[in-house]
Amino acid sequence: MPKFYLILISLIIGLYLPSSMAEDDDEQPTDGQLAQILAPVALYPDSVLTHILIASTYPLEVIEANRWQQQHSNVSPGDALDMVENKNWDPSVKALIPFPKILQKLSEELSWTQSLGDAFLQNEERVLQVIQTLRHQADQAGSLQKMEHMEVAREDDKIIIQPIKREVVYLPYYDSRIVYGHWYWDHYPPVHWTWHHHHNHHFSHHHPFYWQPRVHISFNYFHSAFHWHNHHVIVVDRHHYHAKRYRHRRHIIDDYRGRHWRHNPVHRRGVAYRSEHLRKQYRSSRPSREHTQVIRRNERKVVHASRQNHRSSNERATIQRDNQNRSVQRERTNRLTSERANNSSRRAERQTGSSNATSLNSSGQSRSERLRQQLTSARERTTKQNQATTQHQNTRRERANTNNNTNRATNNSQRSNRTYREDLTTRRVQSDKSKKSHATNRQQVNRSEHNQRNTQASQQQNAQSSHRAERRSNQQNQSRSREQIRSERNTNQRQNTRSEHRSSQQRSHNSERQTQHH
């Protein structure tokens, strides 16, 4: 069977997996697994830990940031933050630029980074609860009292770790196998990070921490904080947040521009999610890692089954060849034995004839008895040979029947496999047709909606144009009526002036006449 055909069958089987398998794969991690993952970073300051949790959901950008930082290792943290401001990275990834050791660990321990990001995406509330349990465990072991560069505060049974000076951040190096004291989860030992540059330092219960050189950060670094009471991360948009002083975490939480952090799939850069639930939630076109693992398992099963069938067919062919060779050899041996028996019987008859000719003087009874014994022995030999040949033929027939039955079974299994494959291909074709028809229906609906929108827009435009024309006509009529009224007033005024002028002239004329008459 060709490899391409096997892979195609496995892919079809993977596409038609039952939903119960996907639900089983979408199991939540246990508290022990979360504690195992969070052990190396749970005691970091809250401001740095929020950026680590958010950046772990964007592993490709973390790798790019680590490579950029290695190429610009001589740049100061403040200048580095200014240089990466125009990069198309998530703000939390940019915020980790001043901490090259953290970026290096996140890039080197990529499987740990992906598992942390998947756990944070899957259940943010439980991740924050496990961080608090680990901090309480370290507090019970007496390790938090030895954090000299950090301020450890307690609010409503929540342990908050933050720098003493806002503008200076120290990162602790610690051994996760020592700092938490007795580890509660024996089946999930904590993840331990080895720091190559500080291998000479000896961690102990009296000295559990070793501090990285201090890092001076700017005002805008604090744009995220833990809301421990509601168990989620608060983020302020950096484009609208330009602080002029170092703000407390409570100010970030109470800021009206603060919002609950939401994952942005654009910064994911096509990295597959862990479960089908996350893939559907963030509308990723790439199949999840669990789905690909199931498909690979099915491919391996199909390949293993094909190899077993190939081996069994080869073994059957070899067995049939061996049986044929054995049957041919047995026929040859039977022929040789029968020929030998016939020759021996002929020799015995000849010997009996010669003995009869030579021993004519012997008694008749002894001769007859000898002849009878020789004949009976020859007959017994022939009967035994005949029985052996019949038994051999019966065994050959039984083996041929068994071989025929096995061939029939293999043919039936092959036919069933062919029918199953044909059914799978038909289902795939039907699903493709249904998807295409659904897509065409969607396109038609979208077109109809677009046409309706266009018609509505054209109707609105026509109505607006008609309304505007009516307004213009009304304005023109009003202006015309005003001009007519003005012209009529002017004509009336002119007529009145003329009439007055005439009347004044007549008066003057009459007065002159009266004067002349007197």
Side-chain angles (χ1 to χ4, degrees):
M1 186 180 291
K3 188 182 286 185
F4 177 75
Y5 192 60
L6 293 172
I7 293 169
L8 182 61
I9 292 168
S10 63
L11 288 172
I12 294 168
I13 293 169
L15 288 172
Y16 288 97
L17 287 172
S19 61
S20 61
M21 187 179 290
E23 291 177 358
D24 294 335
D25 291 335
D26 194 19
E27 294 179 354
Q28 296 279 342
T30 61
D31 291 339
Q33 291 174 348
L34 291 175
Q36 183 183 30
I37 295 168
L38 292 166
V41 295
L43 302 183
Y44 281 7
D46 290 358
S47 58
V48 179
L49 186 54
T50 55
H51 296 317
I52 290 173
L53 291 175
I54 295 171
S56 64
T57 60
Y58 310 120
L60 280 182
E61 292 188 353
V62 169
I63 294 170
E64 291 179 0
N66 181 33
R67 291 177 181 176
W68 185 93
Q69 206 282 330
Q70 289 176 357
Q71 293 174 359
H72 302 81
S73 59
N74 296 324
V75 182
S76 63
D79 295 335
L81 284 174
D82 293 334
M83 291 172 69
V84 300
E85 187 65 30
N86 294 324
K87 293 284 186 181
N88 190 15
W89 299 339
D90 188 78
S92 294
V93 178
K94 296 176 184 178
L96 293 177
I97 290 292
F99 306 98
K101 301 297 181 186
I102 297 299
L103 277 176
Q104 185 178 0
K105 278 295 177 184
L106 292 176
S107 181
E108 289 178 354
E109 304 291 335
L110 192 58
S111 61
W112 176 87
T113 304
Q114 286 185 344
S115 60
L116 177 63
D118 292 332
F120 187 60
L121 286 174
Q122 199 165 6
N123 197 334
E124 181 180 355
E125 182 178 356
R126 284 192 63 202
V127 169
L128 269 63
Q129 289 176 356
V130 172
I131 289 170
Q132 285 296 322
T133 56
L134 288 174
R135 288 183 176 182
H136 281 287
Q137 189 174 351
D139 189 19
Q140 291 176 2
S143 299
L144 296 183
Q145 298 175 1
K146 300 174 177 105
M147 298 186 80
E148 52 189 8
H149 295 292
M150 291 293 162
E151 179 185 353
V152 180
R154 291 169 176 82
E155 294 181 3
D156 298 332
D157 200 22
K158 305 295 182 184
I159 297 174
I160 300 166
I161 300 173
Q162 54 191 356
I164 296 173
K165 295 181 179 180
R166 304 291 178 201
E167 67 273 11
V168 179
V169 176
Y170 289 89
L171 277 185
Y173 295 114
Y174 59 87
D175 191 346
S176 57
R177 300 169 296 182
I178 297 172
V179 74
Y180 296 108
H182 177 69
W183 189 254
Y184 296 151
W185 304 277
D186 295 331
H187 296 288
Y188 302 101
V191 174
H192 173 60
W193 283 355
T194 56
W195 302 95
H196 300 290
H197 297 284
H198 305 282
H199 60 276
N200 294 325
H201 182 76
H202 180 68
F203 294 101
S204 64
H205 294 285
H206 300 288
H207 300 284
F209 297 104
Y210 184 83
W211 299 94
Q212 188 182 3
R214 60 185 180 180
V215 177
H216 290 272
I217 56 176
S218 63
F219 301 105
N220 292 326
Y221 178 80
F222 295 97
H223 61 270
S224 62
F226 285 117
H227 198 306
W228 291 112
H229 183 70
N230 294 332
H231 297 95
H232 62 257
V233 177
I234 297 294
V235 177
V236 179
D237 193 358
R238 294 176 74 247
H239 295 288
H240 304 286
Y241 175 71
H242 297 285
K244 295 182 180 179
R245 60 186 177 85
Y246 293 96
R247 300 182 67 184
H248 193 267
R249 54 175 292 273
R250 182 58 61 186
H251 296 162
I252 298 172
I253 293 171
D254 295 336
D255 195 347
Y256 70 94
R257 290 164 295 190
R259 59 180 176 83
H260 183 199
W261 173 77
R262 298 293 180 187
H263 177 66
N264 189 359
V266 176
H267 292 289
R268 186 79 175 180
R269 304 285 182 87
V271 178
Y273 291 95
R274 176 180 176 271
S275 62
E276 285 292 317
H277 176 70
L278 292 175
R279 185 187 71 82
K280 293 177 182 178
Q281 183 179 357
Y282 297 109
R283 296 178 181 178
S284 176
S285 60
R286 189 170 182 180
S288 63
R289 292 200 297 274
E290 292 178 350
H291 188 71
T292 53
Q293 288 175 0
V294 171
I295 290 172
R296 288 174 183 173
R297 288 174 191 169
N298 291 326
E299 288 178 358
R300 290 172 186 171
K301 288 180 182 179
V302 171
V303 172
H304 183 67
S306 65
R307 288 178 180 175
Q308 285 183 351
N309 291 324
H310 186 65
R311 288 176 183 174
S312 62
S313 63
N314 289 327
E315 288 176 356
R316 288 169 186 170
T318 53
I319 290 166
Q320 289 178 358
R321 290 174 185 174
D322 293 333
N323 291 326
Q324 289 177 358
N325 293 323
R326 287 175 184 174
S327 64
V328 170
Q329 288 179 0
R330 285 174 182 174
E331 287 178 355
R332 289 178 181 176
T333 54
N334 289 325
R335 287 176 185 175
L336 292 172
T337 53
S338 62
E339 288 177 356
R340 287 176 183 177
N342 291 323
N343 292 323
S344 62
S345 63
R346 289 174 184 174
R347 288 176 184 175
E349 288 177 354
R350 289 176 184 176
Q351 288 177 1
T352 53
S354 61
S355 63
N356 288 325
T358 51
S359 59
L360 290 171
N361 296 323
S362 62
S363 63
Q365 293 178 357
S366 62
R367 291 176 183 175
S368 62
E369 287 176 356
R370 290 175 182 175
L371 290 171
R372 287 174 184 174
Q373 289 177 359
Q374 290 177 357
L375 290 171
T376 52
S377 62
R379 288 176 182 174
E380 288 175 355
R381 290 175 184 174
T382 53
T383 53
K384 287 179 180 180
Q385 290 176 358
N386 292 322
Q387 289 177 358
T389 53
T390 53
Q391 289 178 358
H392 181 65
Q393 289 177 356
N394 291 324
T395 54
R396 285 178 65 190
R397 288 174 183 174
E398 289 176 355
R399 289 176 181 174
N401 291 323
T402 54
N403 291 322
N404 291 322
N405 292 323
T406 54
N407 291 322
R408 288 174 184 174
T410 53
N411 291 322
N412 292 323
S413 64
Q414 289 177 357
R415 288 176 183 174
S416 63
N417 289 324
R418 288 175 184 173
T419 53
Y420 179 69
R421 290 166 190 167
E422 289 176 355
D423 292 332
L424 289 175
T425 52
T426 52
R427 289 177 184 175
R428 182 66 182 277
V429 171
Q430 289 176 359
S431 65
D432 292 333
K433 288 180 179 178
S434 64
K435 288 179 181 177
K436 289 179 180 178
S437 63
H438 187 64
T440 53
N441 291 326
R442 283 183 179 176
Q443 289 178 357
Q444 289 177 359
V445 170
N446 292 325
R447 287 175 183 173
S448 63
E449 290 177 354
H450 184 67
N451 291 324
Q452 289 177 0
R453 289 173 184 173
N454 290 327
T455 53
Q456 290 177 359
S458 62
Q459 289 176 0
Q460 289 178 359
Q461 289 178 358
N462 293 323
Q464 289 177 359
S465 63
S466 62
H467 187 64
R468 289 174 184 172
E470 287 177 358
R471 283 183 180 177
R472 289 176 183 174
S473 62
N474 292 324
Q475 289 176 358
Q476 289 176 359
N477 292 324
Q478 289 176 0
S479 63
R480 288 175 183 174
S481 61
R482 288 174 183 173
E483 288 177 354
Q484 287 177 359
I485 291 164
R486 287 176 184 175
S487 63
E488 288 176 356
R489 285 179 182 175
N490 291 324
T491 52
N492 291 323
Q493 288 177 359
R494 288 174 184 174
Q495 288 176 0
N496 291 324
T497 52
R498 287 176 183 175
S499 61
E500 288 175 355
H501 183 66
R502 287 176 183 174
S503 61
S504 63
Q505 285 179 356
Q506 287 178 0
R507 287 174 185 172
S508 62
H509 186 66
N510 292 323
S511 61
E512 287 177 356
R513 283 182 181 178
Q514 287 177 1
T515 52
Q516 287 176 3
H517 181 71
H518 289 294

